[in-house]
Amino acid sequence: MKILSFILLRPPALDRRWILPIAIGSSFSLLLLFFSTLSSPGTPSALLPFSFLFSLLSSSRVSSAFYSPTFVESKLQSFSSPSSSSSSLPLPPRLAYLISGSAGDGSMLKRTLQALYHPSNRYIVHLEAAALPEERLDLRDFVANHPVFKEVGNVKMITKANLVTYRGPTMVANTLHAAAVLLREGGEWDWFINLSAADYPLVTQDDLLHTFSYMPRDLNFIDHTSNIGWKEFQRARPIIIDPGLYMSEKQDVFWIPQRRSVPTAFKLFTGSAWMVLSRSFIDYCIWGWDNLPRTVLMYYANFLSSPEGYFHTVLCNAKEFANTTVNHDLHFISWDNPPRQHPHYLNSRDMEAMIASNAPFARKFRRNDPVLDRIDAELLFRRPGRVVPGGWCAGRRDNGSDPCLVVGNGSVLRPGAGALRLQKLMERNLSKENFRPRQCK
């Protein structure tokens, strides 16, 4: 419509005989553009055949005038044979990670970063301001001097750290800070993933990138519900103050006597604080062109455990993005029934359940728990002190050499069993029974 309007408003110098043909041609071009977005993102990988494809009906920004309830749909299609030409494969996406930690988490941040590393991705590492200067300096030197990180230049540590208060809105502020840094520095990436030092991957990055190659790039993986239940009286109605917003020393949040009503301008949603968000949605949260992200952010500045509600509420109240949600946080987390404030710490007894969940990430782990060594050895094939090997590792492998010290082509993926597990998880969450019925209800 914009193209057509522009053509019809051209100066009178245009010969009127050409107006109708141009209008018809423009309309036909728009139709071609519309149907082209319905096409498959690519032929399946020859390395690991799948049984599904997903089509994308959207650009990164879709105006409300063109909003459609069929924004993203999944289609079951047959995959080509393993002899498919590599030129027909979809390009792997790029992921942007925020890995954040508290005082004492420096060693775990190093380990988690190595377990998540891939040269095609981007990484922001944040160790909160309450950490000792020696710990922050050690982590900074590790990031700056690691031979692969230094060569590729895709790992950045936030040196002017934020003071993050547990359960406070400063956790949301820290996440938005990292997202803004990623957008400011440019570079191509498709999804933003927030993790803590207590998280750990259960699949390789080759597994994850291969599977996400077939995902519509506007999908948002976020556990969410509008059934806030007890949280209405314990979180939505109370008003809290986070000292981390204005103090230089870490303190817990505190309450004020007044209580407030549930908002009527937007609907509250809650869920997991860990999520995989699309580039287009992160762009919307930072720029907030219709002011919804800023309005909701101001409300959640006085909301207890705001990371479990802010992004969920923005996402489900924005018509442009509400139909892009997949109701899963892609984590394995072991809770009590009914759940308590904290999940169980995972150990070797949980290994079988973690694998059976098909999730790409798990939490919560104690620092350097022995189960992490099992995950490294059995699922990630990572040796101590090294990054997880992948198709991009181009160095020699003889005599115990680390092949990943030589960076090859980042688009070469070698998926394995982890990709098969992740495929099952995606098929279940994007099925007719789970995809639409569980969106922003």
Side-chain angles (χ1 to χ4, degrees):
M1 292 297 293
K2 291 182 178 179
I3 298 174
L4 183 57
S5 301
F6 174 78
I7 294 170
L8 295 177
L9 292 175
R10 291 290 299 271
L14 177 65
D15 191 332
R16 293 177 180 270
R17 293 175 300 173
W18 295 101
I19 291 180
L20 183 59
I22 292 175
I24 294 173
S26 299
S27 300
F28 182 72
S29 298
L30 287 173
L31 285 173
L32 287 177
L33 179 61
F34 173 80
F35 285 113
S36 69
T37 61
L38 292 172
S39 62
S40 163
T43 323
S45 171
L47 295 174
L48 184 62
F50 277 75
S51 63
F52 65 97
L53 277 177
F54 303 95
S55 52
L56 175 62
L57 179 56
S58 129
S59 59
S60 60
R61 293 185 189 175
V62 180
S63 69
S64 58
F66 289 94
Y67 173 77
S68 166
T70 57
F71 186 67
V72 176
E73 291 292 347
S74 62
K75 294 181 180 179
L76 294 176
Q77 296 183 2
S78 60
F79 272 60
S80 60
S81 64
S83 60
S84 300
S85 169
S86 60
S87 62
S88 64
L89 302 181
L91 289 176
R94 297 171 185 262
L95 307 176
Y97 284 94
L98 164 63
I99 312 172
S100 55
S102 304
D105 284 338
S107 62
M108 275 299 293
L109 286 173
K110 295 178 189 177
R111 180 171 191 162
T112 303
L113 177 59
Q114 289 176 313
L116 290 166
Y117 187 77
H118 191 282
S120 296
N121 296 337
R122 300 179 67 82
Y123 300 86
I124 297 289
V125 181
H126 179 264
L127 181 61
E128 70 162 329
L132 293 175
E134 295 81 5
E135 184 180 24
R136 294 183 50 76
L137 181 61
D138 178 67
L139 180 60
R140 188 197 68 178
D141 290 344
F142 172 79
V143 171
N145 298 323
H146 190 284
V148 179
F149 303 167
K150 186 175 181 179
E151 177 184 350
V152 180
N154 61 337
V155 181
K156 178 180 178 63
M157 179 178 174
I158 295 182
T159 53
K160 189 176 181 180
N162 301 301
L163 194 64
V164 178
T165 307
Y166 173 68
R167 301 188 299 171
T170 42
M171 293 185 68
V172 174
N174 185 58
T175 303
L176 292 172
H177 179 197
V181 170
L182 289 164
L183 292 174
R184 181 193 66 190
E185 296 200 345
E188 297 294 329
W189 53 272
D190 301 284
W191 277 284
F192 174 85
I193 304 175
N194 68 321
L195 300 173
S196 75
D199 293 83
Y200 212 68
L202 302 177
V203 300
T204 70
Q205 289 303 288
D206 276 14
D207 293 333
L208 192 62
L209 292 172
H210 173 75
T211 305
F212 270 70
S213 297
Y214 300 94
M215 299 294 109
R217 303 296 164 96
D218 280 9
L219 286 179
N220 291 280
F221 299 85
I222 182 169
D223 173 73
H224 62 282
T225 179
S226 62
N227 182 18
I228 62 175
W230 59 268
K231 292 183 180 181
E232 175 181 341
F233 298 96
Q234 296 191 23
R235 294 186 181 178
R237 293 186 181 275
I239 303 175
I240 63 104
I241 302 296
D242 186 347
L245 295 171
Y246 59 90
M247 299 292 289
S248 59
E249 295 183 0
K250 191 170 184 176
Q251 301 178 31
D252 196 8
V253 299
F254 63 88
W255 285 258
I256 64 175
Q258 290 80 6
R259 296 172 71 86
R260 58 185 175 182
S261 60
V262 175
T264 58
F266 47 85
K267 188 176 183 179
L268 293 181
F269 286 79
T270 186
S272 171
W274 314 104
M275 58 205 77
V276 178
L277 302 175
S278 67
R279 171 75 178 254
S280 55
F281 178 66
I282 289 295
D283 193 53
Y284 173 69
C285 287
I286 298 299
W287 290 102
W289 48 83
D290 66 358
N291 209 39
L292 175 65
R294 280 183 288 271
T295 300
V296 176
L297 182 62
M298 294 178 72
Y299 172 79
Y300 274 95
N302 303 113
F303 194 101
L304 192 67
S305 298
S306 52
E308 298 176 6
Y310 171 70
F311 292 101
H312 318 65
T313 299
V314 174
L315 188 58
C316 287
N317 282 272
K319 287 185 176 180
E320 182 174 339
F321 297 100
N323 278 356
T324 66
T325 59
V326 180
N327 204 331
H328 199 286
D329 62 4
L330 303 187
H331 272 69
F332 172 81
I333 305 176
S334 179
W335 295 96
D336 288 310
N337 189 17
R340 299 182 180 181
Q341 180 67 37
H342 301 285
H344 294 298
Y345 279 103
L346 302 175
N347 54 46
S348 292
R349 292 189 298 272
D350 300 295
M351 189 73 176
E352 185 176 346
M354 283 189 280
I355 296 173
S357 73
N358 298 321
F361 307 104
R363 74 182 321 267
K364 226 177 164 180
F365 295 98
R366 286 189 171 89
R367 295 167 187 165
N368 296 316
D369 189 285
V371 71
L372 298 175
D373 295 331
R374 285 193 62 187
I375 294 173
D376 281 342
E378 299 175 27
L379 303 181
L380 304 181
F381 315 106
R382 186 183 84 92
R383 293 189 180 183
R386 296 185 181 183
V387 300
V388 173
W392 60 273
C393 300
R396 298 174 61 89
R397 300 174 182 269
D398 53 342
N399 300 322
S401 300
D402 184 358
C404 299
L405 291 177
V406 179
V407 179
N409 186 350
S411 64
V412 175
L413 304 178
R414 291 177 182 166
L420 287 172
R421 297 197 306 271
L422 187 52
Q423 172 194 339
K424 294 177 182 178
L425 179 68
M426 293 300 182
E427 287 181 323
R428 184 171 71 247
N429 284 295
L430 290 164
S431 65
K432 288 184 178 180
E433 295 77 19
N434 292 316
F435 184 42
R436 290 291 179 210
R438 301 182 63 209
Q439 284 184 324
C440 295
K441 303 296 185 183

